[in-house]
């Protein structure tokens, strides 16, 4: 890595040509002289003088370390066609000559087929993220300009412990930030069993025991095993303690629950100290990890994290998701705060409260907060029971969730073949689940947890009405499992199974088993169903959009931001929405969707709109990265990096 700039020099007619190559991480125009334009590179790469578009004069000036062994010097005056790496760059320039501006994705699309230069082959071989970056049309930033380690502390993450959108969002954001060149860590509990009931599940990804962390939880000396590894470039640290972390969100006594949230917060900071990692930003996720900023701000770690920004990421702040710990009288409350948590009772509870609210503590001690959609941010600031604390922070950040589009499409192709044919996928679903393949019957699908938040009762209470209205010519697939000891889930499960029994050609559900055909449903369904009574961000709609499938949704939170009513006249919109959360309005939205399906031209258009509306996870990562740089006062470095344009 070098700090001195390299300059690409072009004749004046190329004055807005933003060139780059895989050896370089950043290219920005820094000075326009009378005869030449200078483009500064973040890492030392090649010197290129382009006197004429047909001829490239170049040599390897100072290749970065990974390339040093195999760096070839390209002789001067080499014809363009013999320098494969420059050919796609200049071809891309030729395609956009009229506007005198080069669009980065055009370059990278062409670079996918770069010529076999030896040093580029080695770079490609030794840098696992390069191919993904090129396929995704993005480039990493100048490592010298990074803000420092970015650390996520989360109760669930990725394939190891995800039970909802939180674990998916955090892991995909961590992966994307790593691809952008940032130093990213994820800290999470290593539960005795994962969501599939498996133990020892980390070993599959070469995440192994490394060391122990000892700390005091009240008067109890607790020793935690730390397992670490690197997955997709992300440095993962899992904390194991069988008593405190038996499973994701387990039912516990309030005493054990208090100690568990203390352990994840204090333990995360302690293991960072032992690893000698001082983060630029620590992102806590929802109530379970929300005490980490409190322990730092209350001085339990001295000045170690004085320069760290604590960002609390709100995925869900409904009253039952705030981390409220009940069953305490006033004496219990004060004793637990001082002797177990070691925190002032005032940040955990109001003067007249007999319960702890861990989200309150997070909001009172963090530097700022953000959430997963602008719609949900508005709802929180206007209607949340914690709005008084939310409003203490200026300009909280919000951006919608997304999906890694390229990776998602690759997975779909693995399951369904390269053509990704909707009608073929639909026929497979109809044959497997309804024993009736009929393209004229619209197929609606719900995929998710059978919990009250997801509004599944609107589906179950509408099945008979819709079957009657369409004389059995409608199919509804519900792919979700009933959680144990959940009264709501038990009730909707019973209704679904009863309907499946007497309307097998209309409805399919198996609430006792984990649903595994999500990708097939995303592509094969004619419409996705998302009747959530509230949905802070939502990822499922993006998974449907990625497969060009429109969605029927309640207008709330992140769904209001991303699902828009289809207008036949304007031919805009990617789904159908309803504004009142009841069966009548839900059925009306479904009926509008059926009408659209029966109009082939409209259905083709709405599928096109859905595919174009998907939010890519890399776009999400750029947005969050911009916020982190802003918080550290580093906007200039962020703005100077080569990046895709973000939506308004």
């Amino acid at each position: 890595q070098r700090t001195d700039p390299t300059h690409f020099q072009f004749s004046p007619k190329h004055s807005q040509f933003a060139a780059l190559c895989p050896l370089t991480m950043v290219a920005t125009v820094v000075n326009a002289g009378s005869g030449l334009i200078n483009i500064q590179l973040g890492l030392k790469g090649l010197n290129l003088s382009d006197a004429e578009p047909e001829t490239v004069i170049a040599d390897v000036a100072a290749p970065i370390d990974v390339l040093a062994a195999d760096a070839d010097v390209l002789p001067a005056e080499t014809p363009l066609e013999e320098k494969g790496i420059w050919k796609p760059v200049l071809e891309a320039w030729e395609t956009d000559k009229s506007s005198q501006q080069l669009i980065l994705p055009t370059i990278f699309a062409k670079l996918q087929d770069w010529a076999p230069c030896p040093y580029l082959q080695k770079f490609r071989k030794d840098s696992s993220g390069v191919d993904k970056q090129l396929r995704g049309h993005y480039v990493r930033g100048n490592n010298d300009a990074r803000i420092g380690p970015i650390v996520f502390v989360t109760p669930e993450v990725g394939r190891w412990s995800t039970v909802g959108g939180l674990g998916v969002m955090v892991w995909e954001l961590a992966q994307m930030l790593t691809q952008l060149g940032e130093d990213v860590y994820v800290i999470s509990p290593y539960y005795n069993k994962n969501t599939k009931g498996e133990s020892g599940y980390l070993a599959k990804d070469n995440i192994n025991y490394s060391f122990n962390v000892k700390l005091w939880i009240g008067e109890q000396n607790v020793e935690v095993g730390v397992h670490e590894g690197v997955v997709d470039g992300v440095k993962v640290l899992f904390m194991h303690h069988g008593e405190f972390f038996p499973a994701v969100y387990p039912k516990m006594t309030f005493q054990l629950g208090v100690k568990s949230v203390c352990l994840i917060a204090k333990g995360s900071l302690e293991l960072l100290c032992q690893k000698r990692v001082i983060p630029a930003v620590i992102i806590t996720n929802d109530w379970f990890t929300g005490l980490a900023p409190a322990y730092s701000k209350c001085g339990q770690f001295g000045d170690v994290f004085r320069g760290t920004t604590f960002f609390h990421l709100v995925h869900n702040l409904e009253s039952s998701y705030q981390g409220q710990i009940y069953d305490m009288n006033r004496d219990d409350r004060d004793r637990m705060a001082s002797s177990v948590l070691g925190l002032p009772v005032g940040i955990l509870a109001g003067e007249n409260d007999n319960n702890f609210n861990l989200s309150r503590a997070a909001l009172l001690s963090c530097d700022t907060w953000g959430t997963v959609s602008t719609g949900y941010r508005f709802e929180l600031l206007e209607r949340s029971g914690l709005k008084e604390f939310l409003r203490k922070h200026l300009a909280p950040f919000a951006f919608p969730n997304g999906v890694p589009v390229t990776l998602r499409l690759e997975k779909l192709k693995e399951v369904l073949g390269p053509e990704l044919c909707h009608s073929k996928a639909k026929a497979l679903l109809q044959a497997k689940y309804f024993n009736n393949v009929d393209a004229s019957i619209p197929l609606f699908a719900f995929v998710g947890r059978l919990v009250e938040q997801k509004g599944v009762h609107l589906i179950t209470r509408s099945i008979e009405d819709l079957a009657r209205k369409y004389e059995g010519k409608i199919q509804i697939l519900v792919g979700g499992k009933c959680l144990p000891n959940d009264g709501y889930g038990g009730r909707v499960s019973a209704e679904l199974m009863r309907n499946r029994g007497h309307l097998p050609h209309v409805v399919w559900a198996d609430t006792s088993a984990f649903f595994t055909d999500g990708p097939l449903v995303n592509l094969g369904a004619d419409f996705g169903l998302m009747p959530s009574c509230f949905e802070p961000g939502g990822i499922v709609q993006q998974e449907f959009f990625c497969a060009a499938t429109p969605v029927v949704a309640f207008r709330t939170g992140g769904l209001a931001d991303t699902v828009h009513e289809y207008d036949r006249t304007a031919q805009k919109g990617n789904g159908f929405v309803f504004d009142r959360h009841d069966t009548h309005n839900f059925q009306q939205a479904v009926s509008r969707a059926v009408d659209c399906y029966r109009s082939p031209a409209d259905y083709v258009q709405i599928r096109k709109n859905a595919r174009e509306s998907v939010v890519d996870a890399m776009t999400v990562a750029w947005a969050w990265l911009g916020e982190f740089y802003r918080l550290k006062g580093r906007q200039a470095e962020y703005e100077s990096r080569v990046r895709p344009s973000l939506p308004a």
Side-chain angles (χ1 to χ4, degrees):
Q1 297 180 6
R2 309 227 349 206
T3 56
D4 54 317
T6 301
H7 293 95
F8 283 13
Q9 299 180 332
F10 296 93
S11 57
K13 66 180 180 179
H14 297 314
S15 62
Q16 295 187 37
F17 183 85
L20 58 104
C21 78
L23 291 183
T24 62
M25 299 302 189
V26 163
T28 52
V29 177
V30 293
N31 179 44
S34 57
L36 297 171
I37 185 77
N38 296 329
I39 299 177
Q40 183 176 353
L41 306 178
L43 293 178
K44 190 76 171 180
L46 299 175
N47 289 330
L48 171 65
S49 298
D50 179 19
E52 297 293 336
E54 298 79 21
T55 304
V56 176
I57 303 170
D59 72 316
V60 176
I64 59 178
D65 292 343
V66 71
L67 308 178
D70 284 354
D72 288 358
V73 175
L74 301 180
E77 307 294 344
T78 300
L80 175 64
E81 59 270 15
E82 293 182 21
K83 294 187 173 144
I85 189 55
W86 297 111
K87 186 174 181 180
V89 174
L90 293 182
E91 281 181 349
W93 158 250
E94 293 294 323
T95 63
D96 204 24
K97 232 179 201 179
S98 60
S99 65
Q100 295 281 298
Q101 188 172 9
L102 186 66
I103 308 302
L104 288 175
T106 308
I107 287 185
F108 284 107
K110 290 179 175 294
L111 287 182
Q112 293 179 53
D113 299 318
W114 61 26
C117 302
Y119 59 89
L120 294 177
Q121 283 185 322
K122 180 170 178 61
F123 184 76
R124 200 175 195 182
K125 177 181 177 182
D126 290 356
S127 300
S128 59
V130 170
D131 284 340
K132 291 181 181 178
Q133 290 162 223
L134 293 176
R135 286 199 299 269
H137 298 171
Y138 297 97
V139 63
R140 289 168 57 179
N142 177 3
N143 289 343
D144 289 338
R146 295 186 305 185
I147 56 174
I150 298 171
V151 176
F152 292 87
V153 185
T154 177
E156 56 178 277
V157 62
R159 55 184 170 270
W160 304 287
S161 52
T162 290
V163 296
L166 187 160
V168 175
M169 184 269 186
V170 168
W171 182 240
E172 290 181 349
L173 179 55
Q175 289 175 298
M176 296 298 108
L177 290 174
T178 299
Q179 289 188 31
L180 293 175
E182 299 301 323
D183 188 17
V184 182
Y185 292 75
V186 171
I187 300 174
S188 190
Y190 178 16
Y191 299 106
N192 289 344
K193 294 185 181 298
N194 65 8
T195 53
K196 297 179 182 178
E198 301 169 335
S199 58
Y201 50 90
L202 294 182
K204 299 176 185 177
D205 294 295
N206 200 28
I207 303 169
N208 300 306
Y209 169 78
S210 182
F211 60 94
N212 281 3
V213 168
K214 294 181 180 180
L215 63 160
W216 288 93
I217 306 296
E219 297 179 355
Q220 183 178 358
N221 188 269
V222 178
E223 192 165 0
V224 178
V226 178
H227 298 245
E228 61 180 323
V230 179
V231 180
D232 296 337
V234 181
K235 298 165 185 174
V236 291
L237 297 160
F238 285 91
M239 299 168 55
H240 182 259
H241 192 286
E243 180 184 7
F244 295 118
F245 303 139
V248 190
Y249 309 125
K251 290 190 177 298
M252 290 179 163
T253 64
F254 81 86
Q255 294 93 339
L256 195 57
V258 167
K259 291 180 179 180
S260 296
V261 296
C262 176
L263 182 59
I264 186 64
K266 290 179 72 173
S268 297
L269 298 180
E270 179 61 31
L271 76 85
L272 287 172
C273 291
Q274 293 200 22
K275 293 281 294 181
R276 298 190 177 184
V277 174
I278 308 302
V281 183
I282 292 179
I283 302 100
T284 54
N285 292 269
D286 276 358
W287 61 269
F288 189 76
T289 62
L291 293 185
Y295 285 117
S296 174
K297 300 299 174 64
C298 291
Q300 294 204 19
F301 288 83
D303 291 334
V304 173
F305 299 103
R306 181 177 55 186
T308 298
T309 298
F310 285 87
F311 187 108
H312 188 62
L313 179 46
V314 175
H315 299 264
N316 193 334
L317 203 61
E318 302 306 307
S319 59
S320 58
Y321 290 85
Q322 291 177 7
Q324 299 192 62
I325 299 176
Y326 298 96
D327 298 327
M328 293 184 290
N329 57 41
R330 190 71 56 87
D331 291 338
D332 285 339
R333 185 198 71 174
D334 294 347
R335 180 180 55 80
M336 293 292 285
S338 61
S339 64
V340 178
L341 293 177
L343 293 171
V345 70
I347 71 167
L348 294 158
E351 184 177 354
N352 298 316
D353 296 334
N354 287 335
N355 61 293
F356 288 157
N357 188 310
L358 301 177
S359 292
R360 169 196 171 103
L363 293 169
L364 283 173
S365 55
C366 69
D367 294 300
T368 189
W369 66 276
T371 191
V372 290
S373 71
T374 55
Y376 193 55
R377 177 180 60 187
F378 175 81
E379 291 178 12
L380 290 176
L381 290 169
E382 291 297 312
R383 297 192 286 272
S384 172
L386 296 176
K387 62 184 177 184
E388 128 183 43
F389 310 113
L390 293 162
R391 291 175 177 178
K392 290 181 181 294
H393 300 275
L394 297 176
F397 183 73
F399 202 83
N401 290 332
V403 292
V405 173
T406 302
L407 181 61
R408 187 78 186 173
L409 292 176
E410 287 176 355
K411 287 185 176 180
L412 286 171
K413 289 176 182 177
E414 289 175 5
V415 175
L416 303 166
E419 69 276 9
L420 291 182
C421 176
H422 165 63
S423 58
K424 177 182 175 182
K426 178 179 178 178
L428 289 173
L429 285 175
Q430 289 182 316
K432 181 174 182 178
Y433 293 108
F434 297 95
N435 196 30
N436 179 23
V437 178
D438 186 341
S440 69
I441 299 176
L443 172 57
F444 293 80
F446 168 90
V447 179
R449 294 170 293 147
L450 302 186
V451 295
E452 189 169 5
Q453 178 206 341
K454 301 301 179 182
V456 191
H457 61 278
L458 296 188
I459 300 174
T460 61
R461 294 173 187 176
S462 298
I463 289 172
E464 292 183 348
D465 290 341
L466 292 170
R468 195 162 38 246
K469 179 174 182 177
Y470 295 107
E471 299 178 339
K473 299 296 184 180
I474 188 171
Q475 293 171 335
I476 300 171
L477 186 154
V478 177
K481 185 178 179 181
C482 175
L483 301 180
N485 303 316
D486 178 52
Y488 174 89
R491 290 191 297 274
V492 297
S493 174
E495 290 183 53
L496 284 168
M497 301 314 292
R498 180 180 60 81
N499 280 312
R500 179 184 174 184
H502 76 275
L503 293 170
H505 57 293
V506 171
V507 63
W508 182 92
D510 183 356
T511 60
S512 64
F514 185 79
F515 188 71
T516 58
D517 272 342
L520 180 62
V521 167
N522 290 151
L523 181 63
D526 295 313
F527 297 92
L529 292 176
M530 294 192 70
S532 304
C533 56
F534 66 92
E535 193 68 64
I539 290 178
V540 173
Q541 78 271 32
Q542 300 294 342
E543 293 173 342
F544 277 117
F545 292 157
C546 190
T549 299
V551 170
V552 176
F554 180 55
R555 195 193 300 273
T556 181
L559 296 178
D561 289 350
T562 54
V563 183
H564 307 289
E565 182 78 14
Y566 179 67
D567 184 325
R568 287 189 171 189
T569 303
Q571 293 197 320
K572 294 182 179 180
N574 56 7
F576 296 92
V577 298
F578 55 105
D579 294 315
R580 295 187 61 182
H581 201 262
D582 56 37
T583 54
H584 172 74
N585 282 274
F586 170 71
Q587 291 175 26
Q588 289 296 308
V590 169
S591 296
R592 296 196 300 277
V594 172
D595 291 343
C596 175
Y597 182 75
R598 290 175 172 176
S599 171
D602 284 315
Y603 188 66
V604 167
Q605 184 63 46
I606 198 174
R607 288 192 68 85
K608 178 175 180 292
N609 295 351
R611 180 63 183 85
E612 291 175 351
S613 68
V614 65
V615 179
D616 193 290
M618 186 60 83
T619 300
V620 178
W622 277 113
W624 282 97
L625 189 61
E627 173 65 2
F628 298 153
Y629 271 66
R630 183 190 71 82
L631 291 171
K632 306 306 292 184
R634 302 280 292 276
Q635 299 95 319
E637 288 93 332
Y638 174 73
E639 291 299 330
S640 70
R641 299 171 67 161
V642 179
R643 60 187 178 91
S645 59
L646 298 176

